[in-house]
Amino acid sequence: VHKVDRLARNRADDVKIHEALINAGVTLVSATESIDQTPSGMLVHGIMSSIAEFYSRNLATEVTKGLTQKLAQGGTPMRAPVGYLNVRRTDAQGREIRTVEIDPERASLITWAFKQYASGETSVTGLLRDLTARGLVTVPTPKRPSKPLGKNTLYKLLTNPYYAGVIRYKGALHPGVHEPLIEPALFDQVQSLLKARSAHATRHVQHAHHLKGLLHCGSCGSRMLLDFTTNPRGTTYAYFICSGRAAKKTTCTRCAVPVHVAEQLVEDSYRDITISEADYR
């Protein structure tokens, strides 16, 4: 190894690795430190290993302290979200200053997205489709090119208080000095709407229909699944759909059947059923 701290950064790992090397008949050699199997060499090895652990832990402490100080001053201790840009500048004394600025290409689309969803006339999926059509993509990096947002990314965007001027870091909220893209009231309105629709979707899962699991497609014989769809005005409709067509396991072309239509068809079928005394024997 070049130095002992390249082998391990804590004493416990160093001991385990060194024991494994000895048991394998391997001699550990440091290119820049005098360590060997002699008592003095083992002492140096132990000291250097302890110093490496101290350096690693102390560095982590200093980094945490720096992030805490930056948060206390309203700075952003992580990569800025879509709509903002991380900017590096050098002041008159030659010191590097890292700040966050509004992205002129994407900020207006982020603001529009919050206002559009708060209107209640679209879903997250519909909003994603509209944003993609308007050209919203991620900020490119040296390793990753720009690409459209995914649904999960958009949901996290809509629930990120950073856009209202608040930094969420490790579960805690801190006021930021960056320029907000939306008003806190608009952010709260979007959160209320997201929670209401999430609770509405959960109720659909918990309350199954009495015909769920009992119906089969008359065209291909596949099981009929209970599904829900919500229009842009927030009205929800329940349907039974063919699982074979939905999963593309069959060539079935049967359209979705509204629940009230399915109920009427079942009722009509029972109306034509007659049971004789022989059926009870």
Side-chain angles (χ1 to χ4, degrees):
V1 294
H2 177 64
K3 296 176 65 177
V4 171
D5 62 6
R6 300 296 90 192
L7 181 68
R9 282 302 180 92
N10 67 74
R11 185 62 179 142
D13 287 347
D14 181 81
V15 170
K16 292 178 182 178
I17 294 173
H18 197 203
E19 286 181 349
L21 294 177
I22 293 175
N23 293 335
V26 177
T27 301
L28 178 65
V29 177
S30 172
T32 58
E33 299 157 336
S34 299
I35 62 171
D36 50 37
Q37 301 304 314
T38 64
S40 59
M42 295 295 291
L43 175 62
V44 172
H45 185 173
I47 293 174
M48 300 308 297
S49 177
S50 298
I51 292 175
E53 181 174 13
F54 166 77
Y55 176 81
S56 179
R57 292 179 178 273
N58 185 65
L59 180 62
T61 301
E62 291 299 320
V63 170
T64 300
K65 183 171 68 175
L67 292 177
T68 301
Q69 292 177 347
K70 190 168 187 176
L71 277 170
Q73 297 171 359
T76 304
M78 64 281 193
R79 183 177 177 83
V82 180
Y84 291 91
L85 295 174
N86 292 96
V87 179
R88 295 185 180 185
R89 289 194 178 90
T90 303
D91 62 11
Q93 287 74 36
R95 296 174 299 182
E96 184 182 68
I97 300 177
R98 300 184 181 185
T99 60
V100 172
E101 296 182 353
I102 290 178
D103 186 344
E105 296 181 10
R106 299 171 177 83
S108 60
L109 290 174
I110 300 301
T111 304
W112 177 87
F114 275 92
K115 292 180 179 179
Q116 185 69 10
Y117 191 83
S119 68
E121 297 182 355
T122 187
S123 62
V124 175
T125 302
L127 180 62
L128 177 61
R129 183 175 56 250
D130 294 340
L131 285 172
T132 302
R134 289 171 176 259
L136 180 62
V137 293
T138 59
V139 179
T141 66
K143 295 183 179 180
R144 297 180 181 180
S146 296
K147 64 178 182 178
L149 272 62
K151 185 176 180 180
N152 289 338
T153 302
L154 178 58
Y155 185 85
K156 291 179 180 179
L157 185 153
L158 293 173
T159 57
N160 191 348
Y162 192 91
Y163 297 104
V166 178
I167 301 170
R168 182 168 55 206
Y169 187 73
K170 292 186 177 181
L173 299 178
H174 309 268
V177 296
H178 61 280
E179 184 178 349
L181 297 182
I182 60 173
E183 294 294 330
L186 176 59
F187 180 78
D188 292 340
Q189 184 179 354
V190 170
Q191 305 318 297
S192 298
L193 189 55
L194 286 170
K195 290 180 180 178
R197 291 185 172 178
S198 176
H200 191 56
T202 302
R203 287 196 296 270
H204 287 164
V205 175
Q206 295 175 345
H207 297 86
H209 192 271
H210 60 277
L211 292 178
K212 183 179 179 180
L214 300 177
L215 303 182
H216 290 77
C217 177
S219 298
C220 68
S222 300
R223 188 181 297 275
M224 299 292 286
L225 303 177
L226 182 63
D227 193 21
F228 297 87
T229 183
T230 303
N231 65 16
R233 294 182 296 278
T235 305
T236 301
Y237 300 93
Y239 292 88
F240 280 104
I241 62 173
C242 173
S243 61
R245 178 180 180 179
K248 296 183 180 180
K249 293 182 179 179
T250 67
T251 57
C252 183
T253 58
R254 179 174 293 278
C255 298
V257 181
V259 163
H260 71 277
V261 174
E263 292 173 342
Q264 186 62 51
L265 291 173
V266 172
E267 183 178 343
D268 293 342
S269 297
Y270 272 95
R271 187 179 292 112
D272 297 333
I273 295 176
T274 57
I275 301 177
S276 63
E277 293 184 2
D279 294 324
Y280 289 100
R281 297 173 185 174

